[in-house]
Amino acid sequence: MGIVNRGKLSGWLDISQSVSGVVLAIFLWTHLILVSSILLGAEAMTWVAKTMELSFLTADGHGYPWVVTIMAMVIAVIALVHVLVAAHKMPLNLRQQKALKQQLNVVNHGDTRLWVWQAATGIVIFLTLPVHLWLIGAAPETIGPYGSADRIWLQGVWLLYLPLLLCVELHAAIGMYRVAIKWGAARDLNSRSRLKKIKSIISVIFILVGIASLLAFLPYANA
């Protein structure tokens, strides 16, 4: 009975990890697309920011900045769930870490190395994402071409955003690839190879869009 219960628990943890990971990846890519509106100019991003604050529901168009705070809190909860359920597969003790290192030295398994990259980027995200969510959630009214530009460039937050961008894009793309493999989307080697190429293309595209968006804020800093 104990083995059955552990098996059910492990199954639920796997499902929770996959579902929370997919939700976070979709949110991440949607969020980056919305932020990249700065590439179209200040007016485009202002419209996006105000729409996210439900400005169309208020007579004066001011909206409800606290909606963004609620969204940040929801994402924080989902991310916490994802971290907690993912932790049960992490090599947390020295013996597990040694076994993983030996396996990587003996068997050159691409998917295992992707998992290592996912775990490493996950640690960076775990340390940096809460800061990002706090900055956004604590001052949602500053989100826009000028407030965001001041935060990113004048306050030096780009030092946080750049590594976070790189890690979340790699982590999300690898995670979506592994979810597809885990739940049977690719059962043969050719399908896995195609998925890996798609994963790499997605990572490159979103990283380039993210970096371009960060640079696009620069002219609005202290404007």
Side-chain angles (χ1 to χ4, degrees):
M1 183 64 70
I3 295 176
V4 173
N5 289 336
R6 284 196 297 271
K8 288 184 177 180
L9 176 60
S10 179
W12 277 110
L13 289 175
D14 280 346
I15 293 174
S16 299
Q17 181 179 354
S18 295
V19 171
S20 60
V22 169
V23 170
L24 289 171
I26 292 174
F27 172 81
L28 163 68
W29 291 331
T30 303
H31 170 65
L32 185 55
I33 290 173
L34 294 176
V35 172
S36 68
S37 61
I38 189 62
L39 296 171
L40 301 177
E43 290 185 1
M45 186 179 185
T46 298
W47 181 85
V48 169
K50 288 300 181 182
T51 301
M52 295 300 295
E53 296 172 0
L54 307 181
S55 62
F56 51 88
L57 296 180
T58 59
D60 59 1
H62 181 70
Y64 307 101
W66 54 263
V67 172
V68 177
T69 301
I70 298 298
M71 293 175 60
M73 293 171 62
V74 171
I75 293 302
V77 171
I78 297 175
L80 179 61
V81 170
H82 187 68
V83 169
L84 292 177
V85 296
H88 78 287
K89 290 186 176 180
M90 292 283 288
L92 300 178
N93 59 54
L94 186 60
R95 180 177 61 83
Q96 293 173 330
Q97 294 171 7
K98 185 177 180 181
L100 176 61
K101 184 177 180 180
Q102 289 177 342
Q103 179 183 353
L104 291 173
N105 289 334
V106 173
V107 181
N108 186 21
H109 191 261
D111 282 6
T112 302
R113 294 189 180 278
L114 283 179
W115 178 85
V116 172
W117 273 104
Q118 190 181 22
T121 54
I123 293 173
V124 177
I125 295 169
F126 176 73
L127 297 174
T128 56
L129 180 61
V131 181
H132 172 56
L133 293 177
W134 170 259
L135 291 173
I136 297 302
E141 69 281 354
T142 65
I143 297 176
Y146 301 101
S148 297
D150 287 348
R151 180 168 50 252
I152 293 169
W153 292 108
L154 298 185
Q155 299 177 27
V157 180
W158 70 270
L159 293 170
L160 170 76
Y161 284 178
L162 185 56
L164 178 60
L165 168 69
L166 297 175
C167 287
V168 294
E169 294 304 338
L170 292 174
H171 189 88
I174 294 173
M176 293 294 273
Y177 164 78
R178 296 187 68 244
V179 166
I181 298 299
K182 179 182 292 186
W183 301 109
R187 298 183 181 278
D188 58 89
L189 293 178
N190 288 333
S191 296
R192 288 196 177 201
S193 178
R194 285 194 296 270
L195 280 178
K196 283 185 178 180
K197 290 179 181 178
I198 294 173
K199 169 193 68 63
S200 299
I201 291 172
I202 289 174
S203 292
V204 170
I205 289 175
F206 278 106
I207 286 174
L208 290 177
V209 169
I211 292 175
S213 299
L214 286 175
L215 293 174
F217 279 108
L218 192 54
Y220 302 101
N222 203 21

